[in-house]
Amino acid sequence: MSDATTADTAKNPSRPEAVLAADGTPLKKSLNRALRRQKIRALMLIAPLLLFVLISFVAPIGDMLFRSVENQIVSETLPRTVVALKEWDEASGEPPSEQVYQALYRDMFISVERKEHTRVGQRLNYETTGISSLFRKSGRKMDDIAEPYEDLILDVDKGWKTPERWATLYDSAGTSLPAFTSAYEAFVETMTEDGKDPATTKPWEMFYSELYDDIATGDAAGYNGPLSAELAAVTNAVQGFAAPSFADAFTEIEEDWADHEVWGTIKVYAPRFTPGYFLTSIDMQLGPDGIEAQPEEKQIYITLFKRTLIMSLVITGSCILLGYPVAWLLANLPMRVSNLLMILVLLPFWTSLLVRTSAWKVLLQQQGVINDLLVWIGLISDEGRLVMINNATGTIIAMTHILLPFMILPLYSVMQTIPPTYLRAAKSLGATNWTAFWRVYFPQSVPGIGAGSILVFILSIGYYITPEIVGGTKGVFISNRIAYHISSSLNWGLAAALGSILLAVVLLLYWAYDKIVGIDNVKLG
Amino acid sequence: MSQLPPYATVGQRAWYYGFRVICAFIFFFLIAPILVIIPLSFNAENFFTYTPGMLRLDPEAYSLKHYRDFLTNPEWTSAVWNSVRIAPMATLLSVSLGTLAAVGLSQSHVPGRRAIMAILISPMIVPLIISATGMYFFYSKINIVGTYWGVVLAHTVLGIPFVIITVTATLVGFDKSLTRAAANMGADPVTTFFRVQMPLILPGVISGGLFAFITSFDEVVVVLFIGSAELQTLPWQMFTGLREQISPTILAAATILVAISIGLLTTVEILRRRSERLRGMSPG
């Protein structure tokens, strides 16, 4: 017998000796061990699938949520500008200082070489229109800004044209040439990424301006390496040189660089994470003075969310209206007949979504079957053909048809459990047909309505294919906008934010469904 | 009201028949759109509607040309081939992983059962567009966008909830004393699973597999995002065809798909009845 059991028995002298299993261990312990083993076995069976779903499904969803707030591109592409802009006060209404323009020049030059400036331009363009072209146009002119410095230094010594000279300078610079060193490091990194050898590739024009900067600030005085003589010659030439201002150079390329709104946008979107995409999703924006409403013509998302919700409600409502009588009939007919009629519900359920959508396209078109039929029987004239497609009507009709089985099946399974004797009892107590139905039958069928409605609603607010094909512009949902941002406008952050909001709504409903029906009770077919 | 009593009043009679007429209309609404496209797929013209000749039942107005196009046009044949290549692999994966997990979930003591279940069912609940968005971002990070295995992976996940639901539902009716009896007679767990448990839950596993198959075979949103031009599946081809309205070959494809769904529906129904019969036979 183990010590623990002895102690236990000693504490409770009145209790009889613990029951032992066949191998001599106390029964309680042995049972616990068996239970634990059972739990571990069950988890081992589940683990592969759980891991699989976590990696290939939950992780992607997490990635999407992350992207909806992520905004590293600005601070990664324009690191110096972002730091320099911290000093600038946008409320002043003035363009920022010369240091900021110089930082911008350095960042822009490097990002142009790395072909990243258009991407950051595009990112900022989502917030202030025009920045994309501003970045694109300015990108081509960066060499021009460097030109005066290039001319200055090359006039002294043509030897600065060779890559070897700059490589030697970098190797021997130590800490004496901070601006140049930083530029050269960016150069090496870019070349390595492109698979080129920095020691033999044409040097960047930026080196001239950076070397000038190091000399002008006096840092270069600390240099004592093999190129001291060459550097001294350049230093001599620099004495009489009036450096052009970076601010002027930029505003000469594009006037918008003097616009404090552009700078405000860069400053507001400098942090690594931003609520900007979420604000856009609810028709707001992050201005320099905090959160404000989008300009009127850009407010489309609230309308779209509202439309998605309203149309989903209408679809759910029509499904209840059409599904309830059918489910009632199926639940009350003799088994043989109802099984046969059930096929009419299950066949659409099993038929490809694309097939059903194409069927509705065929039926609803202006030259389609329904219009032809109506013209033929003379209800409408040939000119007065009904417009039933490429609008909200088309989406509602087609989606009601597609989602109706998801309403009928849960309703049917609930109605089957309602004993018909209750109705008879109500009637024999003097209730009219209506009272018997409304006071006795209907309340018992409410769980079915609830289950079916949540299911249909969840499915319909995320629908993409059917609205895309029969919805035109007035009948599309938020999902279509998400798809548009992913494949056409490439504003992935906004797509992720819209998706996250939609996901939150769906998960809330999923939770409600779990509470009301229980996910274990979902039935298929 | 399932049967009209002989003493029913006129109003009751009217309501009785009226109700049935309403239901007939709803059934018509459910089934007519699917049936309407079948004759249209034999249209001799390139129209999406009935021609006067078709309405006169003129044999000249009917032809098999859209079917010929479907079977010979490389765009459609390669789409069919891609679907046939992807769906069975995704089904196989989701059925094997899903059945294993369903057996685990049906044990009596599973810690966090509800949460695990919620995660495993979620691919069915989360809107496809969101799954597609997330997968597009994440799969492009690990460089499997546009590859066969990327699409298979995505379709496997989407099929899993169906397998879990059908197999756990079948396991609810499974008599656990049978596995104990097998163990008692000296069978190890693997033998017990394959010789005793599997044959009894097979109907559930197969219908789960059919659901997974149709999910993959029918799926278009995710494949639009993470597929590539070489991986165009049949639904993708139909979707682009519908958007640009190229040819009524879509209707031929649709008719063939309807025939396949009738086949699948019949199989699932037969399996369900067999499973119910087996369950009825087992004691307890």
Side-chain angles (χ1 to χ4, degrees):
Chain A
M1 207 205 277
S2 73
D3 293 344
T5 330
T6 328
D8 207 34
T9 328
K11 249 188 267 168
N12 303 301
S14 60
R15 219 176 77 176
E17 194 105 321
V19 187
L20 297 185
D23 60 350
T25 48
L27 187 60
K28 198 174 167 196
K29 204 169 155 194
S30 167
L31 274 176
N32 272 340
R33 196 193 298 150
L35 191 67
R36 198 163 54 237
R37 211 177 296 140
Q38 208 180 357
K39 275 184 188 170
I40 291 172
R41 201 171 54 210
L43 285 180
M44 295 268 278
L45 287 170
I46 302 168
L49 180 69
L50 193 63
L51 216 63
F52 181 81
V53 172
L54 285 177
I55 292 173
S56 54
F57 186 76
V58 179
I61 300 282
D63 190 23
M64 184 195 75
L65 294 176
F66 175 69
R67 262 176 205 266
S68 65
V69 291
E70 178 231 45
N71 187 45
Q72 268 121 337
I73 182 161
V74 179
S75 54
E76 269 171 17
T77 322
L78 307 172
R80 299 168 185 83
T81 318
V82 164
V83 173
L85 257 183
K86 284 210 173 101
E87 308 288 310
W88 177 65
D89 176 21
E90 56 264 69
S92 67
E94 296 287 316
S97 64
E98 175 70 11
Q99 279 79 32
V100 175
Y101 282 101
Q102 188 176 18
L104 177 70
Y105 158 71
R106 286 168 174 162
D107 287 334
M108 276 291 272
F109 195 99
I110 294 169
S111 64
V112 168
E113 292 295 334
R114 299 171 71 97
K115 299 179 186 64
E116 280 168 354
H117 66 297
T118 48
R119 278 177 48 218
V120 76
Q122 201 173 20
R123 164 70 190 95
L124 293 168
N125 198 59
Y126 298 142
E127 315 303 337
T128 304
T129 321
I131 296 195
S132 178
S133 70
L134 180 66
F135 269 69
R136 212 177 41 247
K137 282 181 194 159
S138 314
R140 296 190 213 112
K141 301 280 176 64
M142 283 304 115
D143 293 355
D144 296 358
I145 300 186
E147 210 175 78
Y149 307 98
E150 191 182 356
D151 293 346
L152 170 77
I153 294 176
L154 287 184
D155 280 348
V156 178
D157 180 0
K158 288 273 184 285
W160 290 106
K161 256 194 173 157
T162 60
E164 297 81 21
R165 170 77 60 93
W166 293 105
T168 323
L169 184 65
Y170 171 71
D171 289 338
S172 56
T175 54
S176 62
L177 305 169
F180 164 70
T181 307
S182 149
Y184 197 84
E185 272 161 7
F187 174 70
V188 172
E189 202 188 318
T190 312
M191 290 306 135
T192 324
E193 274 169 25
D194 292 356
K196 290 182 193 155
D197 182 8
T200 56
T201 322
K202 181 178 175 288
W204 282 353
E205 291 79 358
M206 182 189 186
F207 295 163
Y208 302 105
S209 62
E210 297 313 289
L211 184 60
Y212 167 82
D213 190 59
D214 282 329
I215 294 171
T217 52
D219 289 332
Y223 177 86
N224 55 351
L227 290 170
S228 294
E230 286 85 346
L231 210 54
V234 176
T235 312
N236 272 336
V238 161
Q239 305 304 332
F241 178 71
S245 126
F246 286 104
D248 292 346
F250 270 102
T251 39
E252 206 167 291
I253 297 170
E254 277 293 322
E255 276 183 355
D256 282 349
W257 283 117
D259 185 356
H260 75 283
E261 201 192 331
V262 168
W263 287 106
T265 308
I266 298 178
K267 183 166 180 171
V268 168
Y269 289 94
R272 299 171 67 79
F273 296 98
T274 173
Y277 293 122
F278 276 103
L279 290 172
T280 312
S281 308
I282 51 168
D283 287 342
M284 307 290 249
Q285 64 181 353
L286 204 57
D289 320 315
I291 297 164
E292 59 195 32
Q294 287 269 12
E296 199 106 341
E297 73 277 5
K298 278 181 141 185
Q299 298 187 1
I300 52 169
Y301 295 106
I302 294 278
T303 324
L304 207 52
F305 271 115
K306 262 196 219 145
R307 186 202 287 161
T308 306
L309 288 182
I310 290 171
M311 281 177 61
S312 300
L313 280 176
V314 172
I315 291 162
T316 312
S318 345
C319 281
I320 297 174
L321 219 61
L322 296 180
Y324 199 90
V326 166
W328 191 89
L329 193 72
L330 286 173
N332 285 285
L333 280 175
M335 207 54 173
R336 206 167 36 80
V337 189
S338 74
N339 267 343
L340 221 63
L341 285 176
M342 201 57 169
I343 292 175
L344 298 183
V345 179
L346 288 176
L347 184 60
F349 181 75
W350 275 96
T351 306
S352 163
L353 169 68
L354 265 307
V355 171
R356 285 179 283 168
T357 310
S358 30
W360 281 109
K361 185 139 186 167
V362 166
L363 286 169
L364 296 175
Q365 284 182 89
Q366 284 206 278
Q367 303 299 324
V369 175
I370 292 180
N371 266 315
D372 279 354
L373 196 68
L374 290 177
V375 171
W376 183 67
I377 54 177
L379 268 180
I380 54 171
S381 66
D382 202 25
E383 300 80 50
R385 285 170 177 263
L386 303 173
V387 185
M388 293 180 290
I389 204 164
N390 295 335
N391 57 19
T393 323
T395 308
I396 289 172
I397 296 177
M399 281 185 58
T400 304
H401 174 251
I402 287 166
L403 296 175
L404 191 51
F406 291 96
M407 178 63 84
I408 295 178
L409 294 175
L411 265 178
Y412 170 70
S413 67
V414 168
M415 284 180 177
Q416 250 187 334
T417 62
I418 304 175
T421 42
Y422 287 8
L423 263 188
R424 282 205 289 272
K427 278 185 203 166
S428 76
L429 290 171
T432 59
N433 275 339
W434 171 251
T435 319
F437 167 75
W438 185 245
R439 301 282 299 276
V440 177
Y441 195 86
F442 183 76
Q444 297 184 77
S445 66
V446 165
I449 299 182
S453 304
I454 297 185
L455 198 60
V456 169
F457 192 78
I458 287 182
L459 289 172
S460 72
I461 57 170
Y463 242 61
Y464 166 63
I465 295 295
T466 310
E468 183 73 18
I469 289 175
V470 299
T473 50
K474 288 276 174 214
V476 292
F477 285 4
I478 198 76
S479 332
N480 303 79
R481 198 73 194 166
I482 296 176
Y484 163 78
H485 281 308
I486 295 231
S487 48
S488 304
S489 84
L490 302 182
N491 190 347
W492 290 1
L494 183 55
L498 291 170
S500 305
I501 295 177
L502 184 60
L503 182 66
V505 175
V506 168
L507 288 185
L508 195 72
L509 289 167
Y510 182 31
W511 176 80
Y513 187 84
D514 187 27
K515 284 272 163 241
I516 298 168
V517 194
I519 7 173
D520 304 17
N521 298 328
V522 182
K523 282 205 183 70
L524 298 163
Chain B
M1 203 175 115
S2 53
Q3 220 134 44
L4 199 61
Y7 50 80
T9 61
V10 178
Q12 279 169 336
R13 262 167 215 281
W15 171 239
Y16 177 83
Y17 290 110
F19 184 75
R20 255 139 239 253
V21 169
I22 293 172
C23 287
F25 267 113
I26 301 171
F27 279 120
F28 180 75
F29 171 74
L30 271 169
I31 207 77
I34 297 168
L35 298 182
V36 133
I37 55 168
I38 296 176
L40 270 183
S41 67
F42 295 101
N43 196 341
E45 305 286 335
N46 279 340
F47 291 145
F48 273 95
T49 187
Y50 287 90
T51 55
M54 291 181 90
L55 295 175
R56 279 198 312 274
L57 295 179
D58 184 355
E60 293 283 301
Y62 292 86
S63 90
L64 287 171
K65 69 179 223 185
H66 301 311
Y67 288 88
R68 258 197 302 278
D69 185 42
F70 179 74
L71 293 173
T72 54
N73 189 333
E75 273 185 18
W76 287 97
T77 48
S78 77
V80 171
W81 170 238
N82 279 327
S83 285
V84 167
R85 222 156 49 98
I86 291 166
M89 185 47 98
T91 309
L92 190 72
L93 282 174
S94 43
V95 167
S96 37
L97 286 171
T99 307
L100 208 63
V103 171
L105 279 169
S106 68
Q107 311 270 318
S108 41
H109 301 282
V110 184
R113 185 172 188 279
R114 233 182 143 78
I116 293 174
M117 198 72 174
I119 292 175
L120 295 184
I121 305 286
S122 62
M124 190 175 85
I125 300 294
V126 172
L128 278 173
I129 190 80
I130 293 177
S131 316
T133 308
M135 285 172 176
Y136 178 64
F137 292 153
F138 190 74
Y139 288 11
S140 54
K141 252 186 216 166
I142 51 176
N143 280 328
I144 54 169
V145 163
T147 63
Y148 170 74
W149 287 105
V151 178
V152 167
L153 205 65
H155 280 186
T156 304
V157 175
L158 296 179
I160 277 167
F162 298 98
V163 178
I164 293 281
I165 289 173
T166 48
V167 179
T168 40
T170 320
L171 280 168
V172 167
F174 180 76
D175 184 0
K176 291 227 171 54
S177 55
L178 291 175
T179 51
R180 280 203 289 274
N184 213 1
M185 292 177 186
D188 60 72
V190 178
T191 316
T192 314
F193 177 73
F194 281 107
R195 299 286 297 277
V196 178
Q197 197 165 19
M198 195 61 185
L200 284 168
I201 62 167
L202 196 61
V205 174
I206 295 179
S207 58
L210 288 176
F211 269 108
F213 179 82
I214 201 83
T215 308
S216 164
F217 199 72
D218 212 21
E219 207 288 320
V220 52
V221 185
V222 170
V223 89
L224 269 179
F225 279 70
I226 66 167
S228 63
E230 299 85 61
L231 281 173
Q232 287 208 4
T233 57
L234 189 56
W236 180 341
Q237 182 68 26
M238 288 180 76
F239 178 69
T240 41
L242 274 178
R243 225 173 15 183
E244 285 135 36
Q245 224 180 67
I246 21 177
S247 85
T249 307
I250 294 167
L251 300 181
T255 309
I256 293 173
L257 286 181
V258 170
I260 294 176
S261 9
I262 292 176
L264 284 178
L265 170 62
T266 320
T267 321
V268 172
E269 273 303 292
I270 292 171
L271 286 171
R272 195 175 58 85
R273 284 184 198 174
R274 188 187 129 85
S275 152
E276 269 169 13
R277 213 173 53 232
L278 280 179
R279 223 182 287 180
M281 268 160 60
S282 63

